[in-house]
């Protein structure tokens, strides 16, 4: 039994999928409603935004950094889209502009971290305040309605029977996984996360890579914002408040090492799914949302504990 | 040898960090097929000197000639383009990556915009075989290998990318006796193939047997550069400590001085 446990450690995706399955089985044993097509579709919609953010966050964490600004950048993107649509810009162009603004915010994070030598925690904490603040300034705190066909389709449409946000998630994870495992950029992300000074000495353009990494995280935040605007059909400037912690938790629960240099992005999706299942399952079972927070907190600590066992075995 | 064009000539190199003068007018030369030991205590300036050659630091003043031509080395990539490769004591490899990833780090081979993993793997396999380096698996993260094996991979990397000039910063400091021998044997092979090697050390006993010349630094100044066999180990130790050239060298002072300022 103990051997099996350790063997599974070398297959991080198999391991975390097994954990997710156990959780799903436990909840469905308690409530027949949990494993229904309807609830599953619901769950996927709920998980989509955190999952997209977690994909970007995974790249950042594997590179040895952290991005606390993703929720605020999401809000800034959403508000930019809402404000442009309100002022007569077509939803398509507004979306492109919004995504550009979100990516630019991430790019700024990267420049501050790489060129300004500000630790990622501090730089993105600053951006967390700045992006949210700008979103509030633009709107004066008002939420815009965006009831256009594009956003209604993104939020409520289906393709081949699956809600549209799921496709965003699939593309985000497929692209990220491919990038991390097959491209030079991906290899450098792992190298920088493993040892930044070695990477620098071996001629990797560490600063350039970091800027790209945080710009990419900004881009993922902006893509999550598009899904969010679709789901809400409006752009409240306080949207997604505190969601960065959920994104980081999803990455950690999935099993990517917080120390950087290790892990695969697909586990972050499962991590996001586990959190969503716990919330969704406990809602179905009628457990108070206060207890849900306690449970998720325990799951996060347990995940890091498992990660510690893994690194202890490496030494 | 003195009639050849040196592989490397560092001329009047000075460097300060804030108020600290790390190097003052240091000059050294390295010829093909030669091992030159750079000796000194911690803070003598040997690492700074070598970082300037490897592109990790820039000199405040002074010039570098590679093969007789003035060289402009602003970063590690510039240094590599001159055929300069550096082996660090511990900073050599990313422990979380496997041997091929480390060997090709920063110079990954791509085909159609994607990493060409199978090519990098087979190239790693053949260069390690060529140098007689045995590791248990190419797929294991290198932090699971021994120090000597890791250092061998770093040397294999330098050889693979056709280094003409090898900088070794205390490469055996963290190694046991057997493993140190492995590295030194490897160095003898490289010497024969005409590679010039700077070997940084703080202990003459480690490098007395296989260096051709030694450059002794103290307080950021070049005390003396001489043929290793021209002095006893004791004399070299006392020069490292005192910073004063040994009396036996003063007899042929013109030569020693010439080596210093040439």
């Amino acid at each position: 039994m103990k051997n099996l446990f350790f063997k599974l450690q070398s297959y991080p995706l198999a391991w975390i999928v097994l954990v997710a399955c156990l959780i799903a089985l436990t909840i469905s044993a308690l409530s027949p409603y949990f494993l229904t097509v309807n609830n599953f579709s619901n769950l996927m919609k709920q998980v989509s935004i955190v999952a997209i953010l977690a994909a970007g966050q995974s790249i950042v964490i594997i590179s040895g950094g952290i991005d606390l600004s993703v929720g605020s950048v999401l809000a800034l993107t959403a508000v930019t889209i809402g404000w442009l649509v309100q002022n007569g810009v077509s939803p398509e162009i507004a979306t492109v502009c919004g995504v550009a603004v979100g990516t630019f915010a991430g790019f700024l994070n990267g420049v501050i971290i790489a060129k300004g030598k500000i630790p990622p925690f501090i730089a993105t904490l600053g951006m967390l305040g700045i992006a949210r603040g700008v979103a509030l300034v633009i709107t004066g705190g008002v939420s815009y309605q965006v009831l256009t066909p594009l956003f209604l389709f993104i939020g409520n449409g289906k393709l081949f029977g699956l809600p549209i946000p799921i496709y965003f998630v699939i593309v985000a994870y497929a692209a990220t996984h491919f990038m991390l495992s097959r491209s030079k950029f991906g290899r450098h992300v792992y190298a920088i996360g493993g040892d930044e000074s070695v990477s620098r000495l071996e001629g990797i353009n560490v600063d350039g890579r970091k800027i790209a990494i945080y710009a990419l995280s900004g881009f993922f935040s902006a893509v999550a914002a598009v899904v969010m605007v679709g789901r809400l059909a409006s752009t409240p400037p306080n949207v997604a408040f505190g969601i960065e912690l959920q994104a980081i938790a999803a990455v950690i629960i999935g099993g990517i090492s917080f120390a950087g240099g290790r892990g695969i992005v697909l586990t972050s999706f499962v991590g996001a799914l586990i959190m969503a299942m716990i919330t969704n399952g406990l809602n179905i079972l009628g457990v108070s949302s206060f207890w849900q927070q306690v449970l998720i907190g325990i799951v996060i600590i347990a995940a890091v504990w498992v990660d510690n066992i893994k690194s202890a075995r490496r030494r | 040898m003195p009639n050849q064009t040196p592989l490397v000539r560092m001329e009047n190199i000075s460097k300060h960090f804030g108020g600290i003068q790390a190097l003052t007018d240091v000059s050294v030369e390295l010829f093909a097929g030669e091992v030159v030991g750079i000796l000194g205590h911690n803070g003598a300036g040997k690492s700074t000197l070598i970082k300037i050659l490897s592109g990790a630091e820039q000199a405040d003043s002074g010039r570098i000639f590679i093969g007789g031509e003035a060289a402009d080395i602003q970063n590690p990539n510039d240094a590599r383009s001159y055929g300069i490769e550096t082996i660090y004591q511990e900073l050599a490899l990313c422990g979380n990556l496997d041997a091929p990833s480390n060997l090709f780090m920063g110079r990954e081979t791509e085909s159609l915009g994607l990493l060409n993993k199978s090519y990098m793997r087979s190239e790693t396999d053949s260069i390690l075989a060529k140098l007689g380096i045995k590791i248990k698996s190419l797929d294991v993260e290198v932090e699971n290998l021994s120090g000597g094996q890791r250092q061998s991979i770093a040397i294999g990397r330098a050889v693979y990318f056709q280094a003409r000039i090898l900088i070794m910063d205390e490469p055996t400091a963290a190694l046991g006796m057997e493993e140190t021998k492995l590295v030194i044997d490897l160095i003898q092979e490289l010497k024969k193939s005409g590679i010039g090697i700077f070997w940084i050390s703080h202990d003459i006993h480690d490098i007395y047997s296989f260096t051709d010349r030694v450059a002794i630094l103290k307080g950021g100044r070049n005390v003396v550069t001489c043929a290793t066999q021209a002095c006893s180990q004791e004399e070299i130790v006392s020069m490292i400590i005192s910073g004063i050239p040994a009396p036996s060298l003063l007899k042929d002072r013109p030569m020693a001085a010439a080596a210093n300022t040439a």
Side-chain angles (χ1 to χ4, degrees):
Chain A
M1 184 63 208
K2 197 161 190 182
N3 250 338
L4 181 69
F5 175 79
F6 284 127
K7 258 202 190 122
L8 275 167
Q9 302 287 305
S10 350
Y11 300 95
L13 187 61
W15 157 254
I16 197 68
V17 165
L18 183 76
V19 172
C21 288
L22 287 176
I23 293 173
L25 286 175
T26 311
I27 300 172
S28 60
L30 295 169
S31 161
Y33 180 72
F34 182 71
L35 274 187
T36 59
V37 174
N38 204 359
N39 189 48
F40 185 74
S41 170
N42 220 344
L43 194 63
M44 281 299 170
K45 272 201 256 181
Q46 281 170 7
V47 83
S48 59
I49 288 162
V50 169
I52 294 167
L53 292 175
Q57 192 74 243
S58 301
I59 305 173
V60 174
I61 291 180
I62 291 173
S63 81
I66 187 144
D67 189 349
L68 295 174
S69 69
V70 296
S72 296
V73 171
L74 188 161
L76 178 61
T77 304
V79 160
T80 305
I81 293 171
W83 184 81
L84 288 172
V85 171
Q86 188 80 5
N87 286 280
V89 176
S90 83
E92 289 79 11
I93 293 174
T95 301
V96 171
C97 293
V99 170
V101 167
T103 309
F104 182 69
F107 169 81
L108 279 184
N109 275 333
V111 171
I112 294 166
I113 291 161
K115 298 295 180 190
K117 311 284 176 218
I118 309 285
F121 190 95
I122 307 298
T124 60
L125 184 63
M127 185 57 72
L128 179 147
I130 294 166
R132 181 74 66 180
V134 172
L136 286 162
V137 169
I138 292 174
T139 58
V142 195
S143 174
Y144 302 116
Q145 293 287 317
V146 284
L147 288 163
T148 70
L150 173 70
F151 294 120
L152 291 176
F153 176 70
I154 292 173
N156 300 308
K158 282 190 175 181
L159 194 64
F160 305 120
L162 291 172
I164 296 299
I166 292 181
Y167 292 97
F168 278 78
V169 174
I170 292 172
V171 172
Y173 277 85
T176 308
H177 181 70
F178 192 70
M179 195 159 54
L180 284 176
S181 60
R182 299 300 306 274
S183 78
K184 199 167 184 165
F185 170 78
R187 177 61 57 79
H188 291 179
V189 169
Y190 283 94
I192 293 169
D195 196 320
E196 194 178 320
S197 32
V198 170
S199 306
R200 218 179 276 279
L201 289 170
E202 288 310 317
I204 292 175
N205 178 359
V206 173
D207 290 355
R209 292 309 193 194
K210 279 190 179 175
I211 292 171
I213 287 163
Y214 287 91
L216 211 48
S217 180
F219 174 76
F220 277 104
S221 306
V223 170
V226 174
V227 176
M228 184 67 104
V229 172
R231 288 193 57 199
L232 300 177
S234 67
T235 63
N238 63 345
V239 68
F241 192 82
I243 205 169
E244 55 277 347
L245 298 182
Q246 289 181 53
I248 294 166
V251 175
I252 300 305
I253 291 171
I256 289 179
S257 166
F258 200 58
R262 281 171 223 280
I264 52 176
V265 68
L266 300 179
T267 60
S268 299
F269 171 73
V270 186
L273 195 61
I274 286 176
M275 284 205 298
M277 282 196 303
I278 291 173
T279 310
N280 174 288
L282 295 183
N283 276 339
I284 292 174
L285 298 174
V287 178
S288 111
S289 67
F290 303 150
W291 278 112
Q292 295 173 18
Q293 294 186 33
V294 173
L295 196 59
I296 287 177
I298 293 171
V299 170
I300 292 170
I301 294 171
V304 175
W305 177 69
V306 170
D307 182 56
N308 281 350
I309 297 176
K310 281 192 239 174
S311 23
R313 271 179 58 81
R314 275 197 298 267
R315 301 270 137 67
Chain B
M1 205 176 268
N3 295 326
Q4 285 177 260
T5 310
L7 215 47
V8 182
R9 190 159 108 207
M10 297 181 79
E11 202 174 272
N12 302 113
I13 303 289
S14 294
K15 170 78 181 174
H16 70 91
F17 296 103
I20 297 159
Q21 192 70 29
L23 290 173
T24 312
D25 273 341
V26 174
S27 300
V28 286
E29 288 183 332
L30 177 70
F31 291 89
E34 185 188 35
V35 182
V36 172
I38 310 272
L39 278 166
H41 280 313
N42 291 336
K46 49 193 196 310
S47 282
T48 307
L49 180 70
I50 244 54
K51 278 182 177 160
I52 288 168
L53 184 60
S54 68
E57 301 278 357
Q58 277 78 51
D60 298 332
S61 63
R63 294 192 295 172
I64 300 174
F65 297 88
I66 307 293
E69 310 260 322
D72 182 26
I73 300 173
Q74 297 291 329
N75 56 53
N77 281 333
D78 290 347
R80 287 172 158 188
S81 71
Y82 288 108
I84 302 169
E85 296 281 338
T86 312
I87 314 286
Y88 298 92
Q89 182 187 142
E90 274 161 3
L91 294 171
L93 308 177
C94 277
N96 61 324
L97 301 178
D98 59 17
S101 306
N102 271 293
L103 201 116
F104 283 89
M105 193 189 301
R107 289 180 284 204
E108 294 83 357
T109 311
E110 291 177 301
S111 67
L112 304 171
L114 296 177
L115 289 175
N116 192 343
K117 290 186 185 176
S118 56
Y119 174 79
M120 290 192 277
R121 195 177 187 284
S122 70
E123 288 293 287
T124 305
D125 200 26
S126 65
I127 189 72
L128 295 185
K130 195 177 134 198
L131 294 173
I133 299 164
K134 292 183 188 67
I135 63 174
K136 54 184 168 189
S137 158
L138 286 181
D139 303 316
V140 62
E141 298 164 340
V142 298
E143 67 191 4
N144 297 308
L145 303 177
S146 77
Q149 289 173 329
R150 286 205 295 264
Q151 213 52 295
S152 302
I153 293 171
I155 294 168
R157 172 167 65 194
V159 174
Y160 181 79
F161 288 102
Q162 286 161 356
R164 289 191 297 151
I165 300 149
L166 206 54
I167 300 171
M168 313 208 45
D169 192 353
E170 309 225 9
T172 56
L175 305 184
M177 248 166 60
E178 290 269 308
E179 305 215 288
T180 299
K181 189 174 173 303
L182 194 89
V183 173
I184 292 171
D185 289 348
L186 204 47
I187 289 308
Q188 306 287 14
E189 287 301 310
L190 302 184
K191 238 181 98 156
K192 279 183 210 154
S193 65
I195 295 174
I197 297 158
F198 275 127
W199 186 301
I200 295 123
S201 179
H202 61 270
D203 190 349
I204 181 60
H205 305 105
D206 291 345
I207 65 169
Y208 192 79
S209 63
F210 62 88
T211 49
D212 299 292
R213 292 190 298 140
V214 286
I216 298 167
L217 299 183
K218 181 175 166 72
R221 289 174 190 275
N222 189 185
V223 177
V224 77
T225 304
C226 63
T228 309
Q229 302 302 328
C231 305
S232 67
Q233 299 196 27
E234 290 68 33
E235 282 176 311
I236 293 175
V237 169
S238 77
M239 283 194 279
I240 293 171
I241 296 167
S242 66
I244 300 163
S248 66
L249 288 174
L250 292 177
K251 280 181 286 183
D252 32 55
R253 190 179 185 131
M255 226 186 94
N260 256 337
T261 55

